[in-house]
Each structure stands twice: as structure tokens, then as C-alpha cells.
Amino acid sequence: MSVAVVTGGTRGVGAGIARAFLREGADVVVCGRNEPDQPVEAEGRTARYLALDVRDPEAAQEFCARVRREHGALDVLVNNAGGTPFRPLAEGEARHHTRIIELNLLAPLHLSRAAHPHMREQPVFVAIVMVGSVSGTRPSP
């Protein structure tokens, strides 16, 4: 049985990805800053929720170590967490832009680096999946 982590897996696209893994029999860990109103479930199986601010590199290290320790493996990491609140560029403060870059660019890097040592020792197929957005090719004003 594989262990899949889905960042931002508590709602939207991430929850859909988590449900697909659950249907295929994986143990699924979803993470986000806030616990979901309802657990992520599919076919009588439930994803485990662990709190994580993916922008925090130290927390990412601790999170991946915990998943490996408590689940015995970390086979798949889906870097899905991301987003950009709409705001015209001229109205955004530097700290808002920094937070967006941390979430969409640096967080997947931190999580991938944190997961790598735990994944490279696995005797089975492992994968890191990066989920992107149409905003990468069609930016907003």
C-alpha cells in the first residue's frame, strides 16, 4: 500500500486528488493551514489531516519525517497547495507579493526537498507531482 501526501488537499482540486488516491487504495495524508469542515473521504476511506503551513521549510521537514515515521513510508508527494488572491499589482503591498511567491514557488521546493530523503530509500516507485495553474501561462493584470 502506498502513502500519498497532498498539499492543499482539504478542498477543491486537492481534495479531488486525495479522493482519487483513496479510491486506488493509498493511505492519504492531506495538509493545510486549516482543518477541513468535513473529512476528505472516498469509498468508505478517509484521508488523514495534518496541519501544515507549506511556506515554512522547517515545518515541511518535520511534517515529512512525521509521515514517514507514522505511516512507514512516503511514496507520493503532490504539491497542489497554491493560489493568488485577485488584487491589481499597484494595490498589492510587498509582503503580499512575498507571501504569494512563498506559497506558489518556494513551498513546493521546500516540500520536495523535505520529502526526498524519505522517498529515495523506498524500494517501490515514488513520485513528486507538481500541480500548476493556468495563471502560469496567462497572468492576471
Side-chain angles (χ1 to χ4, degrees):
M1 181 172 307
S2 61
V3 178
V5 168
V6 182
T7 69
T10 61
R11 61 190 174 104
V13 170
I17 294 168
R19 286 186 197 98
F21 276 109
L22 287 168
R23 283 191 293 274
E24 293 300 319
D27 285 342
V28 179
V29 179
V30 295
C31 60
R33 288 180 295 152
N34 302 306
E35 190 166 357
D37 294 332
Q38 296 185 13
V40 178
E41 300 174 316
E43 296 187 17
R45 303 183 70 240
T46 304
R48 179 181 184 194
Y49 168 79
L50 294 176
L52 175 66
D53 182 344
V54 295
R55 295 172 292 203
D56 181 340
E58 289 81 22
Q61 292 283 339
E62 294 168 15
F63 173 84
C64 289
R66 181 178 178 186
V67 169
R68 175 76 188 269
R69 184 176 60 251
E70 295 179 6
H71 291 268
L74 198 171
D75 302 305
V76 179
L77 169 63
V78 179
N79 281 307
N80 168 73
T84 306
F86 179 79
R87 176 182 295 115
L89 183 63
E91 294 175 16
E93 297 178 19
R95 66 183 169 88
H96 291 125
H97 300 302
T98 299
R99 299 288 282 175
I100 290 167
I101 290 169
E102 288 173 344
L103 177 61
N104 292 295
L105 178 63
L106 296 178
L109 173 64
H110 297 319
L111 261 295
S112 297
R113 288 183 43 116
H116 180 257
H118 303 287
M119 297 175 87
R120 73 173 176 222
E121 298 173 4
Q122 295 299 105
V124 297
F125 174 79
V126 296
I128 296 176
V129 179
M130 303 293 207
V131 176
S133 166
V134 68
S135 294
T137 58
R138 191 191 65 196
S140 301

Coordinates of all heavy atoms in Angstrom, one line a residue, residues 9-104:
G9 N -4.8 19.6 0.2 CA -5.7 18.5 -0.1 C -7.0 18.5 0.6 O -7.8 17.5 0.6
T10 N -7.4 19.6 1.3 CA -8.6 19.6 2.1 C -9.8 20.1 1.3 O -10.9 20.0 1.8 CB -8.4 20.5 3.4 OG1 -8.1 21.8 3.0 CG2 -7.3 19.9 4.2
R11 N -9.6 20.7 0.2 CA -10.7 21.2 -0.6 C -10.3 21.4 -2.1 O -9.2 21.2 -2.4 CB -11.2 22.5 -0.1 CG -10.2 23.6 -0.1 CD -10.7 24.9 0.7 NE -9.6 25.9 0.8 CZ -9.6 27.0 0.1 NH1 -10.6 27.3 -0.7 NH2 -8.6 27.8 0.2
G12 N -11.3 21.6 -2.9 CA -11.1 21.9 -4.3 C -10.3 20.7 -5.1 O -10.6 19.5 -4.8
V13 N -9.4 21.1 -5.9 CA -8.7 20.2 -6.7 C -7.9 19.2 -5.9 O -7.8 18.0 -6.1 CB -7.7 21.0 -7.7 CG1 -6.7 20.0 -8.4 CG2 -8.5 21.7 -8.7
G14 N -7.3 19.7 -4.8 CA -6.5 18.9 -3.9 C -7.4 17.8 -3.3 O -6.9 16.6 -3.2
A15 N -8.6 18.1 -2.8 CA -9.5 17.1 -2.3 C -9.8 16.1 -3.3 O -9.9 14.9 -3.0 CB -10.7 17.7 -1.7
G16 N -10.0 16.5 -4.6 CA -10.3 15.6 -5.6 C -9.1 14.6 -5.9 O -9.3 13.4 -6.1
I17 N -7.9 15.1 -5.8 CA -6.7 14.3 -6.0 C -6.6 13.3 -4.8 O -6.4 12.1 -5.0 CB -5.5 15.2 -6.1 CG1 -5.5 16.0 -7.4 CG2 -4.2 14.3 -6.0 CD1 -4.4 17.1 -7.4
A18 N -6.9 13.8 -3.6 CA -6.8 12.9 -2.5 C -7.9 11.8 -2.6 O -7.6 10.6 -2.3 CB -7.1 13.7 -1.2
R19 N -9.1 12.1 -3.0 CA -10.1 11.1 -3.2 C -9.7 10.1 -4.2 O -10.0 8.9 -4.1 CB -11.4 11.7 -3.6 CG -12.1 12.5 -2.4 CD -13.5 13.0 -2.8 NE -13.9 14.0 -1.9 CZ -13.8 15.3 -2.0 NH1 -13.4 15.8 -3.2 NH2 -14.2 16.1 -1.1
A20 N -9.1 10.5 -5.3 CA -8.6 9.5 -6.3 C -7.6 8.6 -5.7 O -7.7 7.3 -6.0 CB -8.0 10.3 -7.5
F21 N -6.7 9.0 -4.9 CA -5.7 8.1 -4.3 C -6.4 7.2 -3.3 O -6.1 6.0 -3.2 CB -4.6 9.0 -3.5 CG -3.5 9.4 -4.4 CD1 -3.4 10.7 -4.8 CD2 -2.6 8.5 -4.9 CE1 -2.3 11.1 -5.6 CE2 -1.5 8.8 -5.7 CZ -1.4 10.2 -6.1
L22 N -7.4 7.7 -2.6 CA -8.2 6.9 -1.6 C -8.9 5.7 -2.4 O -8.8 4.6 -2.0 CB -9.2 7.7 -0.8 CG -8.6 8.6 0.2 CD1 -9.7 9.5 0.7 CD2 -8.1 7.8 1.4
R23 N -9.5 6.1 -3.5 CA -10.2 5.1 -4.3 C -9.2 4.0 -4.8 O -9.6 2.8 -5.0 CB -10.9 5.7 -5.5 CG -12.2 6.4 -5.1 CD -13.0 6.8 -6.3 NE -12.4 7.8 -7.1 CZ -12.5 9.1 -6.9 NH1 -13.2 9.6 -5.9 NH2 -11.9 10.0 -7.7
E24 N -8.0 4.3 -5.0 CA -7.0 3.4 -5.5 C -6.3 2.6 -4.4 O -5.4 1.8 -4.6 CB -5.9 4.1 -6.4 CG -6.5 4.7 -7.6 CD -7.0 3.6 -8.5 OE1 -6.5 2.5 -8.7 OE2 -8.1 3.8 -9.1
G25 N -6.7 2.9 -3.1 CA -6.2 2.1 -2.0 C -5.0 2.7 -1.3 O -4.5 2.1 -0.3
A26 N -4.6 3.9 -1.6 CA -3.5 4.5 -0.9 C -3.9 5.0 0.5 O -5.0 5.4 0.7 CB -2.9 5.7 -1.7
D27 N -2.9 5.1 1.4 CA -3.1 5.8 2.6 C -2.8 7.3 2.2 O -1.8 7.6 1.6 CB -2.1 5.4 3.7 CG -2.5 4.1 4.3 OD1 -3.6 3.6 4.2 OD2 -1.6 3.5 4.9
V28 N -3.7 8.2 2.5 CA -3.6 9.6 2.1 C -3.5 10.5 3.3 O -4.3 10.4 4.2 CB -4.8 10.0 1.2 CG1 -4.7 11.4 0.8 CG2 -4.9 9.0 0.0
V29 N -2.5 11.4 3.2 CA -2.4 12.4 4.2 C -2.6 13.8 3.5 O -1.9 14.0 2.5 CB -1.0 12.4 4.9 CG1 -0.9 13.6 5.9 CG2 -0.7 11.1 5.5
V30 N -3.5 14.6 3.9 CA -3.8 15.9 3.4 C -3.3 16.9 4.4 O -3.4 16.7 5.6 CB -5.2 16.1 3.0 CG1 -5.7 15.2 1.9 CG2 -6.2 16.0 4.2
C31 N -2.8 18.0 3.9 CA -2.4 19.1 4.8 C -2.8 20.4 4.3 O -3.1 20.6 3.2 CB -0.9 19.0 5.0 SG 0.0 19.3 3.4
G32 N -2.9 21.3 5.3 CA -3.3 22.7 5.0 C -3.2 23.5 6.3 O -2.9 22.9 7.4
R33 N -3.4 24.7 6.2 CA -3.3 25.6 7.5 C -4.5 25.4 8.3 O -4.4 25.5 9.6 CB -3.1 27.0 7.1 CG -1.7 27.4 6.6 CD -1.6 28.8 6.2 NE -2.5 29.1 5.1 CZ -3.0 30.3 4.9 NH1 -2.8 31.3 5.7 NH2 -3.8 30.5 3.9
N34 N -5.6 25.0 7.7 CA -6.9 24.9 8.5 C -7.5 23.5 8.3 O -7.6 23.1 7.1 CB -7.9 26.0 8.1 CG -7.3 27.4 8.3 OD1 -6.9 27.7 9.3 ND2 -7.3 28.2 7.2
E35 N -8.0 23.0 9.3 CA -8.7 21.7 9.3 C -9.9 21.8 8.4 O -10.7 22.8 8.6 CB -9.0 21.2 10.7 CG -9.5 19.8 10.7 CD -9.5 19.2 12.1 OE1 -9.1 19.8 13.0 OE2 -9.9 18.0 12.2
P36 N -10.2 20.8 7.6 CA -11.4 21.0 6.7 C -12.7 20.8 7.6 O -12.7 20.2 8.6 CB -11.3 19.8 5.8 CG -10.4 18.8 6.5 CD -9.5 19.6 7.3
D37 N -13.8 21.4 7.1 CA -15.1 21.3 7.8 C -15.5 19.9 7.8 O -16.2 19.4 8.8 CB -16.1 22.2 7.1 CG -15.8 23.7 7.2 OD1 -15.2 24.1 8.1 OD2 -16.2 24.4 6.3
Q38 N -15.2 19.1 6.7 CA -15.6 17.7 6.7 C -14.4 17.0 6.2 O -13.6 17.5 5.4 CB -16.7 17.5 5.7 CG -18.0 18.2 6.1 CD -19.1 17.8 5.1 OE1 -19.0 16.9 4.3 NE2 -20.2 18.5 5.2
P39 N -14.2 15.7 6.7 CA -13.0 15.0 6.3 C -13.1 14.6 4.8 O -14.2 14.6 4.2 CB -13.1 13.7 7.1 CG -14.4 13.7 7.9 CD -15.0 15.0 7.7
V40 N -11.9 14.4 4.2 CA -11.9 14.1 2.8 C -12.0 12.5 2.7 O -11.2 11.8 3.3 CB -10.5 14.5 2.1 CG1 -10.4 14.0 0.7 CG2 -10.4 16.0 2.3
E41 N -13.1 12.1 2.0 CA -13.4 10.7 2.0 C -13.7 10.2 0.6 O -14.2 10.9 -0.2 CB -14.6 10.4 2.9 CG -14.4 10.8 4.3 CD -15.7 10.7 5.2 OE1 -16.8 11.1 4.7 OE2 -15.6 10.1 6.3
A42 N -13.5 8.9 0.4 CA -13.9 8.2 -0.8 C -14.1 6.7 -0.6 O -13.2 6.1 0.1 CB -12.9 8.5 -1.9
E43 N -15.2 6.1 -1.0 CA -15.4 4.7 -0.9 C -15.2 4.2 0.5 O -14.5 3.1 0.7 CB -14.6 4.0 -1.9 CG -15.0 4.3 -3.3 CD -14.3 3.5 -4.4 OE1 -13.8 2.4 -4.1 OE2 -14.4 3.9 -5.6
G44 N -15.6 4.9 1.5 CA -15.5 4.4 2.9 C -14.2 4.6 3.5 O -13.9 4.2 4.6
R45 N -13.3 5.3 2.8 CA -11.9 5.5 3.3 C -11.8 7.0 3.6 O -12.3 7.8 2.9 CB -10.9 5.0 2.4 CG -11.1 3.5 2.1 CD -10.0 2.9 1.2 NE -8.8 2.8 1.9 CZ -7.7 3.5 1.6 NH1 -7.6 4.2 0.5 NH2 -6.6 3.4 2.3
T46 N -10.9 7.4 4.6 CA -10.8 8.8 4.9 C -9.3 9.2 4.9 O -8.5 8.4 5.4 CB -11.3 9.0 6.4 OG1 -12.7 8.6 6.4 CG2 -11.3 10.5 6.8
A47 N -9.0 10.3 4.4 CA -7.7 10.9 4.4 C -7.4 11.4 5.8 O -8.3 12.0 6.4 CB -7.5 12.0 3.3
R48 N -6.2 11.3 6.2 CA -5.7 11.9 7.5 C -5.3 13.3 7.2 O -4.6 13.6 6.3 CB -4.5 11.1 8.0 CG -4.0 11.6 9.3 CD -2.8 10.8 9.8 NE -2.4 11.3 11.1 CZ -1.2 11.0 11.6 NH1 -0.4 10.2 11.0 NH2 -0.9 11.5 12.8
Y49 N -5.8 14.2 8.1 CA -5.4 15.6 8.1 C -4.3 15.9 9.1 O -4.4 15.5 10.2 CB -6.6 16.5 8.4 CG -6.2 17.9 8.6 CD1 -5.9 18.7 7.5 CD2 -6.1 18.4 9.9 CE1 -5.5 20.1 7.7 CE2 -5.7 19.8 10.1 CZ -5.4 20.6 9.0 OH -5.0 21.8 9.2
L50 N -3.3 16.6 8.6 CA -2.2 17.1 9.5 C -2.1 18.6 9.1 O -2.0 19.0 7.9 CB -0.9 16.4 9.3 CG -0.9 14.9 9.7 CD1 0.5 14.3 9.3 CD2 -1.1 14.8 11.2
A51 N -2.0 19.4 10.1 CA -1.9 20.9 9.9 C -0.4 21.1 9.4 O 0.5 20.6 9.9 CB -2.1 21.6 11.2
L52 N -0.3 22.0 8.4 CA 1.0 22.4 7.9 C 0.8 23.7 7.1 O 0.0 23.9 6.3 CB 1.5 21.4 7.0 CG 2.9 21.7 6.3 CD1 4.0 21.8 7.3 CD2 3.2 20.7 5.2
D53 N 1.7 24.7 7.5 CA 1.9 25.9 6.6 C 3.0 25.5 5.7 O 4.2 25.5 6.1 CB 2.2 27.1 7.4 CG 2.3 28.4 6.6 OD1 2.4 28.3 5.3 OD2 2.2 29.5 7.2
V54 N 2.7 25.2 4.4 CA 3.7 24.7 3.5 C 4.8 25.8 3.2 O 5.8 25.4 2.7 CB 3.1 24.3 2.2 CG1 2.2 23.1 2.4 CG2 2.3 25.4 1.5
R55 N 4.6 27.0 3.6 CA 5.6 28.0 3.4 C 6.8 27.9 4.4 O 7.8 28.6 4.2 CB 5.0 29.4 3.4 CG 4.0 29.7 2.3 CD 3.3 30.9 2.5 NE 2.4 30.8 3.7 CZ 1.3 31.5 3.9 NH1 1.0 32.4 3.0 NH2 0.6 31.3 4.9
D56 N 6.6 27.1 5.4 CA 7.6 27.0 6.5 C 8.5 25.8 6.2 O 8.1 24.7 6.4 CB 6.9 26.9 7.8 CG 7.8 26.8 9.0 OD1 9.0 26.5 8.8 OD2 7.3 27.0 10.1
P57 N 9.8 26.1 5.8 CA 10.7 25.0 5.5 C 11.0 24.0 6.6 O 11.1 22.8 6.4 CB 11.9 25.6 5.0 CG 11.8 27.1 5.2 CD 10.4 27.4 5.6
E58 N 11.1 24.5 7.8 CA 11.3 23.7 9.0 C 10.1 22.8 9.3 O 10.3 21.6 9.6 CB 11.7 24.5 10.2 CG 13.1 25.1 10.1 CD 13.1 26.4 9.3 OE1 12.0 27.1 9.2 OE2 14.2 26.8 8.8
A59 N 8.9 23.4 9.2 CA 7.7 22.6 9.4 C 7.6 21.5 8.3 O 7.1 20.4 8.6 CB 6.5 23.5 9.4
A60 N 8.0 21.8 7.1 CA 8.0 20.8 6.0 C 8.8 19.7 6.3 O 8.5 18.5 6.1 CB 8.4 21.5 4.7
Q61 N 10.0 19.9 6.9 CA 10.9 18.8 7.3 C 10.3 18.0 8.4 O 10.3 16.7 8.3 CB 12.2 19.4 7.8 CG 13.1 20.1 6.8 CD 13.8 19.2 5.9 OE1 14.1 18.0 6.2 NE2 14.2 19.6 4.7
E62 N 9.7 18.6 9.4 CA 9.1 17.9 10.5 C 7.9 17.1 10.0 O 7.7 15.9 10.4 CB 8.7 18.8 11.6 CG 9.8 19.5 12.3 CD 9.4 20.7 13.2 OE1 8.2 20.8 13.5 OE2 10.3 21.5 13.5
F63 N 7.1 17.7 9.1 CA 5.9 17.0 8.5 C 6.3 15.7 7.8 O 5.7 14.7 8.0 CB 5.2 18.0 7.6 CG 4.1 17.4 6.9 CD1 2.8 17.3 7.4 CD2 4.2 16.9 5.6 CE1 1.7 16.7 6.7 CE2 3.2 16.4 4.9 CZ 1.9 16.3 5.4
C64 N 7.3 15.8 6.9 CA 7.7 14.7 6.1 C 8.2 13.6 7.0 O 7.9 12.4 6.8 CB 8.6 15.0 5.0 SG 7.9 16.0 3.7
A65 N 9.0 13.9 8.0 CA 9.6 13.0 8.9 C 8.4 12.3 9.7 O 8.5 11.1 9.9 CB 10.6 13.6 9.8
R66 N 7.4 13.1 10.1 CA 6.3 12.5 10.8 C 5.5 11.5 9.9 O 5.1 10.4 10.4 CB 5.4 13.6 11.3 CG 4.2 13.1 12.1 CD 3.4 14.3 12.6 NE 2.2 13.8 13.3 CZ 1.2 14.5 13.8 NH1 1.3 15.8 13.6 NH2 0.2 14.0 14.4
V67 N 5.3 11.9 8.7 CA 4.5 11.0 7.8 C 5.3 9.7 7.7 O 4.7 8.6 7.8 CB 4.3 11.6 6.4 CG1 3.8 10.6 5.4 CG2 3.3 12.8 6.5
R68 N 6.6 9.8 7.4 CA 7.4 8.5 7.3 C 7.4 7.7 8.5 O 7.2 6.5 8.5 CB 8.8 8.9 6.9 CG 9.8 7.8 6.8 CD 9.5 7.0 5.5 NE 10.3 5.7 5.4 CZ 11.5 5.6 4.9 NH1 12.1 6.6 4.4 NH2 12.1 4.4 4.9
R69 N 7.5 8.4 9.7 CA 7.6 7.7 11.0 C 6.2 7.0 11.3 O 6.2 5.9 11.7 CB 7.9 8.7 12.1 CG 8.1 8.1 13.4 CD 8.6 9.2 14.4 NE 7.7 10.3 14.6 CZ 7.9 11.5 14.2 NH1 9.0 11.8 13.5 NH2 7.0 12.5 14.3
E70 N 5.1 7.7 11.1 CA 3.8 7.2 11.5 C 3.1 6.3 10.4 O 2.3 5.6 10.8 CB 2.9 8.4 11.9 CG 3.4 9.1 13.1 CD 2.6 10.3 13.5 OE1 1.5 10.5 12.9 OE2 3.0 11.0 14.4
H71 N 3.5 6.5 9.2 CA 2.9 5.7 8.1 C 3.9 4.6 7.5 O 3.5 3.8 6.7 CB 2.4 6.6 7.0 CG 1.2 7.3 7.5 ND1 -0.1 6.9 7.3 CD2 1.0 8.5 8.1 CE1 -1.0 7.7 7.8 NE2 -0.3 8.8 8.3
G72 N 5.2 4.7 7.9 CA 6.1 3.8 7.4 C 6.7 4.1 6.0 O 7.6 3.4 5.6
A73 N 6.2 5.1 5.4 CA 6.6 5.4 4.0 C 6.1 6.8 3.6 O 5.3 7.3 4.3 CB 6.1 4.4 3.0
L74 N 6.7 7.3 2.6 CA 6.2 8.5 1.9 C 6.5 8.2 0.4 O 7.6 8.4 0.0 CB 6.9 9.7 2.4 CG 6.2 11.1 2.1 CD1 6.9 12.2 2.8 CD2 6.0 11.4 0.7
D75 N 5.5 7.7 -0.3 CA 5.7 7.3 -1.7 C 5.4 8.4 -2.7 O 6.0 8.4 -3.8 CB 4.8 6.1 -2.0 CG 5.1 4.9 -1.0 OD1 6.3 4.5 -1.0 OD2 4.2 4.4 -0.4
V76 N 4.4 9.2 -2.5 CA 3.9 10.2 -3.4 C 3.7 11.5 -2.7 O 3.1 11.6 -1.7 CB 2.6 9.8 -4.1 CG1 2.2 10.8 -5.1 CG2 2.8 8.4 -4.8
L77 N 4.3 12.6 -3.3 CA 4.0 13.9 -2.8 C 3.4 14.7 -3.9 O 4.0 14.8 -5.0 CB 5.3 14.6 -2.4 CG 5.2 16.1 -2.1 CD1 4.3 16.4 -1.0 CD2 6.6 16.7 -1.9
V78 N 2.2 15.2 -3.7 CA 1.5 16.0 -4.7 C 1.5 17.5 -4.2 O 0.9 17.8 -3.2 CB 0.1 15.6 -4.9 CG1 -0.6 16.5 -6.0 CG2 0.0 14.1 -5.4
N79 N 2.4 18.3 -4.8 CA 2.5 19.7 -4.4 C 1.3 20.5 -5.2 O 1.5 20.9 -6.3 CB 3.8 20.3 -4.9 CG 4.9 19.9 -3.9 OD1 4.8 20.1 -2.7 ND2 6.0 19.3 -4.4
N80 N 0.2 20.5 -4.5 CA -1.0 21.1 -5.0 C -1.3 22.5 -4.4 O -2.0 23.3 -5.0 CB -2.2 20.2 -4.8 CG -3.5 20.8 -5.1 OD1 -3.8 21.1 -6.3 ND2 -4.3 21.1 -4.1
A81 N -0.9 22.7 -3.2 CA -1.3 24.0 -2.5 C -0.8 25.2 -3.3 O 0.3 25.2 -3.8 CB -0.6 24.0 -1.1
G82 N -1.6 26.2 -3.4 CA -1.2 27.4 -4.1 C -2.4 28.3 -4.3 O -3.5 28.0 -3.9
G83 N -2.1 29.4 -4.9 CA -3.2 30.3 -5.2 C -2.7 31.8 -5.2 O -1.6 32.0 -4.8
T84 N -3.5 32.6 -5.7 CA -3.2 34.0 -5.8 C -4.5 34.8 -5.6 O -5.4 34.8 -6.5 CB -2.6 34.4 -7.1 OG1 -1.5 33.6 -7.4 CG2 -2.2 35.8 -7.2
P85 N -4.7 35.5 -4.5 CA -5.9 36.3 -4.4 C -5.8 37.5 -5.4 O -4.8 38.0 -5.6 CB -5.8 36.9 -3.0 CG -4.4 36.7 -2.5 CD -3.8 35.6 -3.4
F86 N -7.0 37.7 -6.0 CA -7.0 38.8 -7.0 C -6.8 40.1 -6.4 O -7.4 40.5 -5.4 CB -8.4 38.8 -7.8 CG -8.4 39.9 -8.8 CD1 -7.8 39.8 -10.0 CD2 -9.0 41.2 -8.5 CE1 -7.8 40.8 -10.9 CE2 -9.0 42.2 -9.4 CZ -8.4 42.0 -10.6
R87 N -5.8 40.9 -7.0 CA -5.5 42.2 -6.5 C -4.7 42.9 -7.6 O -3.7 42.3 -8.0 CB -4.7 42.1 -5.2 CG -4.2 43.4 -4.7 CD -3.4 43.3 -3.4 NE -4.1 42.8 -2.3 CZ -3.9 41.6 -1.7 NH1 -2.9 40.9 -2.2 NH2 -4.6 41.2 -0.7
P88 N -5.1 44.0 -8.1 CA -4.3 44.7 -9.1 C -2.9 44.9 -8.5 O -2.7 45.2 -7.3 CB -5.0 46.0 -9.3 CG -6.4 45.7 -9.0 CD -6.3 44.7 -7.8
L89 N -1.9 44.8 -9.4 CA -0.5 44.9 -9.0 C -0.2 46.2 -8.2 O 0.5 46.1 -7.1 CB 0.4 44.8 -10.2 CG 1.9 44.8 -9.9 CD1 2.3 43.6 -9.1 CD2 2.7 44.9 -11.2
A90 N -0.7 47.3 -8.6 CA -0.4 48.6 -8.0 C -1.0 48.6 -6.6 O -0.5 49.4 -5.8 CB -1.0 49.7 -8.8
E91 N -2.0 47.8 -6.3 CA -2.6 47.8 -4.9 C -2.0 46.9 -3.9 O -2.2 46.9 -2.8 CB -4.1 47.5 -5.0 CG -4.9 48.6 -5.8 CD -6.3 48.2 -6.0 OE1 -6.8 47.3 -5.3 OE2 -7.0 48.8 -6.9
G92 N -1.2 46.0 -4.4 CA -0.5 45.0 -3.6 C 0.7 45.5 -2.9 O 1.5 46.3 -3.4
E93 N 0.8 45.2 -1.6 CA 2.0 45.5 -0.8 C 3.1 44.5 -1.0 O 2.8 43.3 -1.4 CB 1.6 45.7 0.6 CG 0.6 46.8 0.9 CD 0.3 46.8 2.4 OE1 1.0 46.3 3.2 OE2 -0.8 47.4 2.7
A94 N 4.3 44.8 -0.8 CA 5.4 43.9 -1.0 C 5.2 42.6 -0.2 O 5.5 41.5 -0.7 CB 6.7 44.6 -0.6
R95 N 4.7 42.7 1.0 CA 4.5 41.5 1.8 C 3.5 40.5 1.2 O 3.6 39.3 1.3 CB 4.2 41.8 3.3 CG 2.8 42.5 3.5 CD 2.6 42.8 5.0 NE 1.5 43.7 5.1 CZ 0.2 43.2 5.3 NH1 0.0 41.9 5.3 NH2 -0.8 44.1 5.4
H96 N 2.5 41.1 0.5 CA 1.5 40.2 -0.2 C 2.2 39.5 -1.3 O 2.0 38.3 -1.5 CB 0.3 41.0 -0.7 CG -0.5 41.6 0.4 ND1 -0.8 42.9 0.5 CD2 -1.2 41.0 1.4 CE1 -1.6 43.1 1.5 NE2 -1.8 42.0 2.1
H97 N 3.0 40.2 -2.1 CA 3.7 39.5 -3.2 C 4.7 38.5 -2.7 O 4.8 37.4 -3.3 CB 4.4 40.6 -4.0 CG 3.5 41.6 -4.6 ND1 2.5 41.2 -5.5 CD2 3.5 42.9 -4.5 CE1 1.8 42.3 -5.8 NE2 2.4 43.4 -5.3
T98 N 5.3 38.8 -1.6 CA 6.3 37.8 -1.0 C 5.5 36.5 -0.6 O 6.0 35.4 -0.8 CB 7.0 38.4 0.2 OG1 7.7 39.6 -0.2 CG2 7.9 37.4 0.9
R99 N 4.4 36.7 0.1 CA 3.6 35.5 0.5 C 3.1 34.7 -0.6 O 3.1 33.4 -0.6 CB 2.4 36.0 1.4 CG 2.7 36.7 2.6 CD 3.3 35.9 3.7 NE 2.3 35.1 4.3 CZ 2.5 34.2 5.3 NH1 3.7 34.0 5.7 NH2 1.5 33.6 5.8
I100 N 2.8 35.3 -1.7 CA 2.3 34.6 -2.9 C 3.5 33.8 -3.5 O 3.3 32.6 -3.9 CB 1.7 35.5 -4.0 CG1 0.4 36.0 -3.4 CG2 1.5 34.9 -5.3 CD1 -0.2 37.2 -4.2
I101 N 4.7 34.4 -3.6 CA 5.8 33.7 -4.1 C 6.2 32.5 -3.2 O 6.6 31.5 -3.6 CB 7.0 34.7 -4.3 CG1 6.7 35.6 -5.5 CG2 8.3 33.9 -4.6 CD1 7.6 36.8 -5.7
E102 N 6.1 32.8 -1.9 CA 6.4 31.7 -0.9 C 5.5 30.5 -1.1 O 5.9 29.4 -1.1 CB 6.3 32.2 0.5 CG 7.4 33.1 0.9 CD 7.2 33.8 2.3 OE1 6.0 33.7 2.8 OE2 8.1 34.3 2.8
L103 N 4.2 30.8 -1.3 CA 3.2 29.7 -1.5 C 3.4 29.0 -2.8 O 3.3 27.7 -2.8 CB 1.8 30.3 -1.3 CG 0.7 29.3 -1.5 CD1 0.7 28.2 -0.5 CD2 -0.7 30.1 -1.5
N104 N 3.5 29.7 -3.9 CA 3.5 29.1 -5.2 C 4.8 28.6 -5.7 O 4.8 27.7 -6.6 CB 2.8 30.1 -6.2 CG 1.4 30.3 -5.9 OD1 0.6 29.4 -6.0 ND2 1.0 31.5 -5.5

